[in-house]
Amino acid sequence: MCNIRGTHYLGYAVTLTETNYTQTVVILTPIRNAEKSLETFQTQIMNLSYPHNLISVFFGEYGSTDKTFAKALNISQDLKRFGSFRDSRVINLQMSGGIYGSDDFRHKVLGYQKYRRSHLEAVRNRLVRYALQNGAFDQVLWIDSDVEEFPTDLVR
Ligand SMILES: Nc1nc2c(ncn2[C@@H]2O[C@H](COP(=O)(O)OP(=O)(O)O)[C@@H](O)[C@H]2O)c(=O)[nH]1
Ligand SMILES: [Mg+2]
């Protein structure tokens, strides 16, 4: 077992030592037609072990043809009300474009990938610009709504 900057390593198991956290974090999540993955996403965010009063969660939506915006709005209210998160908002990004279709279609058609990726990066950039203009954060973390599982100590 060794100790590297307060973190104990034993084989592949990592145990974080208790720390008095002070840094504020904003989680940025672009969403479009993400209705189906939002519930799992909410559960995972709620389960984060980092102090919720230091975490803000901003969703950046545009162009959904399902109930993504309304659902994200409910989640943002729940995060504040029941999860004691510092802040949570759903931002209307006003950015049309991107590639629509099934996961398979969007991810596999080679000719679309450069355009699809550059659109997504522009979306992420607009979201971070909004966040930095509307709050003061020590750390920024992008997590996509379709990441089905992440460790509860991800932010720590
Ligand atoms: N606002 C916005 N979000 C998008 C758009 N396309 C995808 N997203 C969201 O961005 C995240 C990543 O999209 P995804 O298609 O899974 O991309 P990939 O996994 O990086 O190939 C997900 O949370 C999507 O809901 C878009 O055009 N606008
Ligand atoms: Mg994805």
Side-chain angles (χ1 to χ4, degrees):
M1 180 155 150
C2 60
N3 187 315
I4 304 171
R5 276 182 271 152
T7 305
H8 300 284
Y9 292 87
L10 180 63
Y12 290 106
V14 176
T15 312
L16 295 167
T17 47
E18 277 313 311
T19 309
N20 261 339
Y21 295 103
T22 54
Q23 298 212 1
T24 54
V25 179
V26 62
I27 294 174
L28 301 179
T29 304
I31 45 172
R32 193 193 67 189
N33 288 352
E35 199 182 18
K36 290 196 184 78
S37 49
L38 279 176
E39 212 168 296
T40 307
F41 186 75
Q42 175 180 13
T43 304
Q44 300 213 81
I45 294 287
M46 282 283 201
N47 286 341
L48 284 172
S49 57
Y50 194 79
H52 289 185
N53 64 346
L54 296 175
I55 305 179
S56 301
V57 182
F58 288 179
F59 297 95
E61 196 279 340
Y62 197 72
S64 294
T65 53
D66 64 6
K67 297 196 178 80
T68 293
F69 193 93
K71 214 162 180 181
L73 210 52
N74 279 337
I75 290 173
S76 69
Q77 281 157 3
D78 284 357
L79 290 178
K80 285 182 286 190
R81 204 177 304 158
F82 305 119
S84 301
F85 282 81
R86 187 183 195 83
D87 192 6
S88 186
R89 304 178 193 193
V90 187
I91 295 108
N92 178 345
L93 288 179
Q94 301 277 8
M95 269 184 97
S96 52
I99 298 293
Y100 285 78
S102 66
D103 281 0
D104 226 30
F105 177 78
R106 284 182 298 113
H107 291 154
K108 287 200 178 142
V109 182
L110 278 180
Y112 290 158
Q113 298 315 308
K114 192 174 173 194
Y115 167 71
R116 192 175 77 83
R117 298 243 61 90
S118 59
H119 174 70
L120 258 173
E121 297 326 311
V123 164
R124 289 187 225 277
N125 283 344
R126 186 167 294 189
L127 188 53
V128 74
R129 207 170 297 127
Y130 173 91
L132 298 179
Q133 282 168 356
N134 288 274
F137 308 101
D138 297 306
Q139 306 287 341
V140 173
L141 175 62
W142 281 267
I143 311 179
D144 290 345
S145 61
D146 60 334
V147 179
E148 286 177 358
E149 200 179 339
F150 46 81
T152 55
D153 61 2
L154 179 80
V155 180
R156 293 169 69 193

